[in-house]
Amino acid sequence: MPNRTNPIEESQSLEEIRYRELFRVTEKFHSSMDINIVLAEIIQTLKRVFPTYDYFLLLSNDHDASEDLPIKSLEYNSENVSAISSYVNAAVELEDSEYPVMYAPLKGKQGVYGVLQVKSHLTSPLENSQIDFIRLLANTAGNALENAKLYQQSQKLVEDLRLIDEVSQKLNSTSSLSETMNYLHNQIKKSFQASAIGFIILGDGEPRILEGSSSYFEEEHGKKLIKAVLERIENSNDSLFMGEIKQMPVPVQLTFGSLMAVPMIHSNSLNGITIVLGDLPYSFSFEKFKLLQSLIQRSSLAVANLMLREKLEKMVITDQLTQLFARNYLNEMIEKSMQTDREGTFILIDLDDFKEINDTYGHQTGDHVLIQVANLIKSSLRPSDIGARWGGEELAVYLPGVPIEKGSQIAERLINHVSQNTKPTVTMSCGVSNWDFSQPDELTQLFSRADAALYEAKNAGKNQVAVKAK
């Protein structure tokens, strides 16, 4: 006679297989702190126990899960009422349809992390033993997910604290504002995968874009973005977090997808803002936003101190009236140039008949004329050139690496520029001298030759250039 399978024995065998699988997967869960491994084990277990069923993991958007897994996004406005009910109420939901569907919450001690959806291939209802197994599997997986998530969060917190500590130590050890801002730029770009970063300092005039900012903020669209962000932050001093850039100038919306902006507060005053932009919507998580806030809060004092130090250093080397460099700084820079460059040209400048301006218009107007001339000179020089106040109505310009022929031409242009753009009109005389590497030279000799040339220009009728080449 053929052997017949005892239904009771078959049922017991299936039950044994299920609980053996449950025991195996529980051990696997306890040995892993990787969310993707936990999710993959749920699916693999279901494939072994219910090979013909369909199953999905319905997860909220804060899970960075593998694309290889059968995962669907769990939306609160979803039409899947049973799935949402299971998630919100942390309870199993059974859906009666042509093919039975079960929703089991992936529940831990602190919350629900998603829903396991299992769809039978039979029209008959799911058996109680099947429901119990899926429920136990989901509960076990929920606890494992929670542990893995808490572990990853703790690891991320350690990384964040390490980053904040590293940045704080670096900021306290740097003495240069530009070095500090470039370091901050690199750290933010690396940690946040940012597309553009702007450090903006507020002062009496226009907002100042610090070195270390992305070039985008120097462009017209970037300046409009700065203005829009400041309008939102200035009154409240609150940070901005935009997963999708809205209510910002249209060009910004077309270029970038997300934005974070954090005020730089020092002594309860808004000193500036840091703006971080991402190419795509939702480039930054809320945890990243909180980390940026911590970084900027820790950095604000160091930046404020460095700016104060920069201001004090500038005051030491700057003439307060003209805002040209002071004479001692000019001397120092020429001496350095004589050690590193092949040549240089020095121009000594004297305003013609300046006493008459003071006598005619008063000393306040005389100061104003001196400031006009200084500004005209500054606007005509390269970043590497040095304009300084020599003393009284005498000014000086040093052109590193410039031969005397070209230096004389520059002096002529300065004379014309000043005579055409001052009010009341003032003229000036220039004495030009030079040095080159072919013969030894001294600072005092360079100045003496320029002074002699200036004396010649004055005696020749003023408003002209005289040259004493080496």
Side-chain angles (χ1 to χ4, degrees), residues 52 89 109 113 197 209 228 235 283 302 307 331 366 375 389 402 422 426:
T52 59
N89 299 319
K109 292 182 175 62
Y113 300 93
I197 304 162
I209 301 167
N235 293 329
S283 295
M307 288 189 64
N331 294 355
N375 289 337
R389 188 174 184 187
V402 174
T422 48
V426 66

Side-chain angles (χ1 to χ4, degrees), residues 304-322:
N305 287 339
L306 286 169
M307 288 189 64
L308 179 60
R309 179 175 177 173
E310 185 186 70
K311 187 175 181 180
L312 291 173
E313 289 176 346
K314 185 178 179 182
M315 287 176 64
V316 170
I317 63 172
T318 303
D319 174 67
Q320 296 306 298
L321 176 65
T322 62

Side-chain angles (χ1 to χ4, degrees), residues 145-202:
L145 271 177
E146 183 171 81
N147 291 336
K149 197 171 183 66
L150 290 173
Y151 174 77
Q152 290 188 1
Q153 287 175 347
S154 67
Q155 292 295 103
K156 186 66 178 67
L157 181 60
V158 170
E159 289 177 14
D160 291 348
L161 290 173
R162 188 181 293 119
L163 174 64
I164 291 171
D165 182 59
E166 179 187 329
V167 169
S168 298
Q169 289 187 33
K170 180 68 176 179
L171 294 182
N172 290 330
S173 65
T174 56
S175 57
S176 163
L177 181 62
S178 61
E179 180 186 350
T180 297
M181 303 320 295
N182 280 313
Y183 171 78
L184 263 182
H185 176 103
N186 292 334
Q187 288 298 319
I188 291 173
K189 186 172 184 178
K190 181 173 69 175
S191 299
F192 298 83
Q193 287 76 55
S195 302
I197 304 162
F199 304 107
I200 295 90
I201 294 299
L202 306 180

Side-chain angles (χ1 to χ4, degrees), residues 251-301:
V252 181
Q253 297 182 39
L254 295 175
T255 308
F256 298 99
S258 45
L259 173 149
M260 298 186 290
V262 178
M264 301 170 74
I265 307 290
H266 178 58
S267 300
N268 296 321
S269 297
L270 179 64
N271 284 0
I273 52 171
T274 297
I275 302 174
V276 179
L277 297 167
D279 280 336
L280 303 174
Y282 305 104
S283 295
F284 313 114
S285 66
F286 191 71
E287 286 74 19
K288 288 291 187 184
F289 174 57
K290 301 302 287 185
L291 174 60
L292 181 65
Q293 286 182 305
S294 297
L295 274 179
I296 300 307
Q297 287 166 6
R298 294 293 186 93
S299 306
S300 293
L301 177 59

